[in-house]
Amino acid sequence: MISVFSKDHRLHFGQHELIDGRFVTPFECPERMERIMQRIAEVKLGEVVEPLEFSLDPVARVHALEFIEFLRTAYSRWRQRHGDSDALPICWPSRTFRQKPPAEIDGELSYYSFDAGTPITAGTWRAITVSVNVALTGVDILQGGQKSVFSACRPPGHHAASDIYGGYSFFNNAAVAAQAMVDGGAERVALLDVDYHHGNGSQSIFYDRADVLYVSLHGDPQQEFPYFLGYADETGTGTGEGYNRNFPMPWGTQWEGYQECLDRGLTLIQNFSPDALVVSLGVDTYEKDPISKFRLRSEDFLKIGSKIVQKIHCPCLFVMEGGYAVDEIGINVVNLLTGFLNG
Ligand code: SP5
Ligand code: ZN
């Protein structure tokens, strides 16, 4: 399997996130991707190629122009006000507030974000544009006739909506890739999200559409981040009704419970008969993940990959999302990809 990777992911390197009432070094760190690429080299998974440079047009098919412009200028405007610290919001337009974008950077960070866990740093803009190019290059390679590609995206993307960032996500790499597939002629694209967290951004981007089916397996929002989306009764709206399917699972879920939901999700995708599949590949479902509470073991990721390939036969783009157990992240990601390759 070809992998797409750029070392420019390292340019996004936050100093702080707010978690459990403490400012800590972000769990979403550059070492994650280094470990994944090390493992890919170790097992000789296949060729590793650099991303192509794309314009922002494919990003603008999914994200609002003012949001793109905000992200492009946010750090320099923050730095003028506050110096070299990470840009982090502290206030959100919750119920009873107006949804009107303020003029100054602090208020704008609040307007465009949903959490205090997603620092914007000096190199964030470069890293997020490269991350989306890594996904788009994967689409390009699939269009060239490959059956599967791994896009080593970092930062991740599935929490980012049209004009909202958060959950370590800025541009929604998987959604931009899925949209690029549609724009490239695919009539139906399925997006399977196996990250531990619900992909609220991906869901909202495609919620009213029947051409992109979103299927997500994740921690129950009654217990788990991002708390306010991801329930099973969110099934799409308008012409998109029936094309969004959520499988929330409780803390402590192990392979036995997980695989039941995976089988049901894969059956839905099979019946949809997609021209292409995008997998939002998070391995934060792993038992030793430091911020998550499922209990999948490393060998279970092999089984996820093989279940996918046994049921879905269209071209498949794997887009990296979360996974924070750094010591095992390479093994877990490559296990999923290997399970797919070996059937
Ligand atoms: C892409 C992705 O996986 N984003 C996840 C963002 C999670 N943000 C923080 C979640 C905090 C949940 N509580 C953790 C408790 C750890 N003791
Ligand atoms: Zn996650």
Side-chain angles (χ1 to χ4, degrees):
M1 188 183 305
I2 297 174
S3 298
V4 189
F5 167 76
S6 165
K7 61 178 168 41
D8 284 357
H9 76 86
R10 294 175 199 153
L11 298 171
H12 175 65
F13 191 180
Q15 298 175 64
H16 297 108
E17 73 169 298
L18 179 57
I19 196 160
D20 297 343
R22 293 183 181 85
F23 275 110
V24 302
T25 304
F27 288 94
E28 201 296 284
C29 60
E31 197 186 351
R32 297 176 56 242
M33 192 52 72
E34 308 301 328
R35 295 293 193 97
I36 294 168
M37 299 317 294
Q38 270 170 25
R39 182 69 181 166
I40 283 174
E42 217 171 279
V43 306
K44 300 189 170 63
L45 188 77
E47 198 186 341
V48 177
V49 303
E50 290 270 332
L52 308 165
E53 288 275 342
F54 292 83
S55 76
L56 288 169
D57 292 350
V59 176
R61 295 282 293 134
V62 159
H63 292 287
L65 288 176
E66 65 271 18
F67 176 70
I68 298 171
E69 189 57 12
F70 159 76
L71 286 176
R72 194 178 68 78
T73 60
Y75 188 75
S76 63
R77 291 191 295 127
W78 170 271
R79 191 163 183 255
Q80 280 170 17
R81 287 265 178 276
H82 306 297
D84 284 336
S85 60
D86 291 351
L88 281 178
I90 54 165
C91 163
W92 290 275
S94 192
R95 288 176 300 286
T96 75
F97 281 93
R98 279 178 73 173
Q99 304 292 321
K100 178 176 160 64
E104 285 289 334
I105 181 63
D106 292 74
E108 275 194 272
L109 285 166
S110 294
Y111 178 77
Y112 286 115
S113 70
F114 73 87
D115 76 351
T118 313
I120 298 178
T121 73
T124 296
W125 172 254
R126 174 66 187 160
I128 65 178
T129 52
V130 170
S131 189
V132 90
N133 287 343
V134 166
L136 287 165
T137 302
V139 175
D140 209 65
I141 295 170
L142 287 182
Q143 284 164 349
Q146 294 291 316
K147 189 185 178 313
S148 59
V149 178
F150 174 59
S151 283
C153 294
R154 181 180 174 272
H158 76 149
H159 294 295
S162 170
D163 63 353
I164 305 175
Y165 75 95
Y168 312 149
S169 307
F170 300 92
F171 288 147
N172 193 318
N173 309 306
V176 172
Q179 181 63 48
M181 288 167 169
V182 170
D183 291 340
E187 279 178 35
R188 287 176 307 282
V189 176
L191 175 40
L192 172 65
D193 191 331
V194 299
D195 186 280
Y196 172 74
H197 303 96
H198 178 249
N200 59 288
S202 305
Q203 168 167 317
S204 87
I205 286 164
F206 298 116
Y207 205 60
D208 60 357
R209 288 172 51 172
D211 57 342
V212 179
L213 169 68
Y214 179 69
V215 175
S216 180
L217 284 67
H218 52 266
D220 189 331
Q222 294 217 51
Q223 297 175 311
E224 195 50 82
F225 182 95
Y227 308 116
F228 304 106
L229 215 58
Y231 289 93
D233 66 355
E234 298 157 12
T235 54
T237 188
T239 52
E241 178 62 54
Y243 296 93
N244 191 95
R245 302 297 285 266
N246 286 324
F247 294 91
M249 287 167 272
W251 280 343
T253 293
Q254 303 180 342
W255 176 250
E256 189 174 59
Y258 190 88
Q259 56 110 27
E260 264 176 50
C261 290
L262 180 60
D263 286 344
R264 287 169 59 202
L266 287 171
T267 300
L268 292 167
I269 293 173
Q270 197 175 35
N271 294 338
F272 179 65
S273 130
D275 301 308
L277 174 66
V278 178
V279 176
S280 267
L281 200 188
V283 292
D284 35 11
T285 48
Y286 180 52
E287 58 185 346
K288 288 189 235 163
D289 194 274
I291 64 167
S292 310
K293 293 188 166 73
F294 281 1
R295 296 202 201 124
L296 298 196
R297 296 156 308 162
S298 289
E299 61 263 35
D300 296 334
F301 292 101
L302 281 163
K303 297 187 240 169
I304 295 177
S306 83
K307 273 186 184 288
I308 294 171
V309 77
Q310 279 168 19
K311 258 184 157 160
I312 317 293
H313 305 296
C314 61
C316 180
L317 178 67
F318 293 95
V319 174
M320 192 62 211
E321 302 281 0
Y324 309 99
V326 173
D327 285 340
E328 294 92 356
I329 190 174
I331 290 168
N332 293 341
V333 169
V334 171
N335 272 3
L336 196 149
L337 300 175
T338 305
F340 181 92
L341 287 172
N342 294 346

